Amino acid sequence: MSSSASGAVNGGVSFWYADDGLPAVREPLSGDASADVVIVGGGYTGLWTAYYLKKAAPFLRITVLEQKFCGYGASGRNGGWLYNGIAGRDRYARLHGHEAAVRLQKAMNDTVAEVVGVAAAEGIDADVHQGGVLEVATTPAQWARLRAFHEHELAFGEQDRELYGARETAARIRVADAVGSAWTPHGARLHPVKLVKGLAAAVEALGVTVHESTPVTEIRPRHAVTPYGTVRAPYVLRCTEGFTASLKGQKRTWLPMNSSMIATEPLTEEQWAAIGWAGRETLGDLAHAYMYAQRTADGRIALGGRGVPYRFGSRTDNDGRTQEATVEALREILTRFFPSLAGVRIAHAWSGVLGVPRDWCATVTLDRSTGLGWAGGYVGSGVATANLAARTLRDLLRRDSGQGGRTELTELPWVDHKVRRWEPEPLRWLGVQGMYATYRAADRRERLRPGLRSSRLARAADRVAGRH
């Protein structure tokens, strides 16, 4: 952990850990072991999967292996957006039909309430506030995209969302130059670390074995290999999201995309009065290189976006340290949205990685011939999607082991979706760097040359990325 030129604490995993404290690390694996199910990764996906499996079948011997400590990755560094977005829905509509994608969207809508409900039932106080999600447009091109997005979401069954003009938007949050916004009730703000800590404790209380400081170097059928021993189990579930590339043979499976955040000092009552935001909605925009933010329980603004999007060779940072240029870029977004905060102090900056498949589609799979399963590729929507993925993995495993049959979740279109691998280096690095440079250039052009049409630069970047 260190300080940036602005005086902000930089790294130290995340602000959320600085706020709630680093956990006491659980014991590592002490030798070869066996289980009925071994789960690799102690983030949201792995812990939720252990939770739902143990609840459904208490007799199962379940072991979770985590390389550092539970919540060390994206689960402890994200923006605290519990919302109903899911990566790849439109592609699934093209592949499997509109109604299949509607079912997937409904499952995601229900997942927000599921997470809130389980957290309450387990006594996990994660600073949850169900204010919904507000996405704002600050240029004519963004406003055109936002209206189209709103209509698109209505077509996928989300009939309870609302579209606002400039005056209605300002009544919720006074974002400078906002010309309109869209709001959905299917979203909540939360404290990511309080959720992951509470979930890890709940899983252990159910009788799940959790080993931390235990990196898995290789996954193969019925084996999870670590430096301290091998855990053998009929089912091995990979729940490693942005850290998947570190596993043997997985370098090009999912790309570890960097996302960076800042948190301000607590704002004064006068500063909040100038901004509004009484509803504590999570806040996003329709820029191509988009931002995301929340009003924290202790009165800060935590805001994120893309900094340096990718490190050569699918490497990942460890302590979350963020480049000074990224901190300043995020500060610029903050003050562009809220000019009255020009002098506010940035208290913390950090980064983490999320998993991006080549076709930008989240997936859940259980290979019935090998017992290997995995879930991830959430592309930044993992706080809620991880829960749906975990319940789906539970149902797939119960069906395969003869404890259950087909369910609504096992029939969702993201199950068993096949994704091609990312290109080898240096093509991977060049492609991602070029893509985000183009998105940022498109956003600048739309701000400087206001018009209703999205920049052609962004459409070109979308085609290179394979997002459409």
Side-chain angles (χ1 to χ4, degrees), residues 38 221-222 233-237 366-373 397 400:
V38 59
R222 290 170 288 282
Y235 296 99
V236 182
L237 306 180
L366 180 64
D367 185 335
R368 305 183 73 173
S369 66
T370 63
L372 297 178
L397 192 147
D400 185 71

Side-chain angles (χ1 to χ4, degrees), residues 219-446:
I219 293 173
R220 57 178 188 262
R222 290 170 288 282
H223 296 77
V225 182
T226 85
Y228 312 121
T230 297
V231 182
R232 292 169 173 81
Y235 296 99
V236 182
L237 306 180
R238 189 186 80 221
C239 303
T240 48
E241 186 59 355
F243 290 89
T244 299
S246 65
L247 292 165
K248 183 178 180 180
Q250 304 294 335
K251 181 75 76 174
R252 292 164 53 195
T253 299
W254 291 331
L255 184 138
M257 184 79 74
N258 280 307
S259 199
S260 299
M261 294 197 70
I262 56 173
T264 69
E265 61 187 345
L267 303 188
T268 65
E269 290 184 10
E270 291 76 15
Q271 287 170 321
W272 281 121
I275 294 169
W277 211 341
R280 292 168 171 77
E281 306 90 337
T282 57
L283 175 66
D285 72 353
L286 264 287
H288 301 292
Y290 53 85
M291 60 77 73
Y292 51 94
Q294 67 150 283
R295 176 176 177 172
T296 67
D298 65 347
R300 305 170 191 264
I301 294 177
L303 180 148
R306 297 290 181 267
V308 177
Y310 172 71
R311 296 185 68 201
F312 190 89
S314 291
R315 290 176 295 142
T316 55
D317 293 306
N318 290 323
D319 69 352
R321 182 166 174 80
T322 300
Q323 289 190 346
E324 194 65 35
T326 299
V327 178
E328 289 307 309
L330 293 175
R331 175 193 281 278
E332 190 274 330
I333 294 172
L334 174 72
T335 55
R336 176 155 38 91
F337 270 53
F338 306 114
S340 63
L341 300 183
V344 75
R345 186 176 71 87
I346 304 303
H348 208 118
W350 71 100
S351 294
V353 292
L354 49 98
V356 180
R358 188 62 183 88
D359 64 358
W360 302 71
C361 290
T363 57
V364 182
T365 297
L366 180 64
D367 185 335
R368 305 183 73 173
S369 66
T370 63
L372 297 178
W374 56 89
Y378 305 134
V379 196
S381 301
V383 180
T385 313
N387 178 278
L388 179 60
R391 287 182 284 129
T392 305
L393 276 174
R394 171 202 61 193
D395 288 2
L396 289 170
L397 192 147
R398 284 175 57 77
R399 184 183 72 181
D400 185 71
S401 61
Q403 300 170 34
R406 294 176 180 271
T407 69
E408 290 182 2
L409 299 185
T410 64
E411 303 308 298
L412 291 175
W414 68 334
V415 173
D416 295 334
H417 176 70
K418 302 294 189 295
V419 182
R420 71 181 176 91
R421 290 156 65 82
W422 281 88
E423 291 80 0
E425 297 291 20
L427 296 177
R428 192 159 71 245
W429 185 87
L430 290 170
V432 177
Q433 299 294 332
M435 175 181 68
Y436 273 98
T438 303
Y439 282 142
R440 286 190 286 267
D443 287 329
R444 284 194 299 271
R445 181 169 293 185
E446 289 178 4

Side-chain angles (χ1 to χ4, degrees), residues 192-206:
V193 162
K194 291 181 179 180
L195 176 61
V196 78
K197 282 184 177 180
L199 186 55
V203 161
E204 275 196 312
L206 290 172

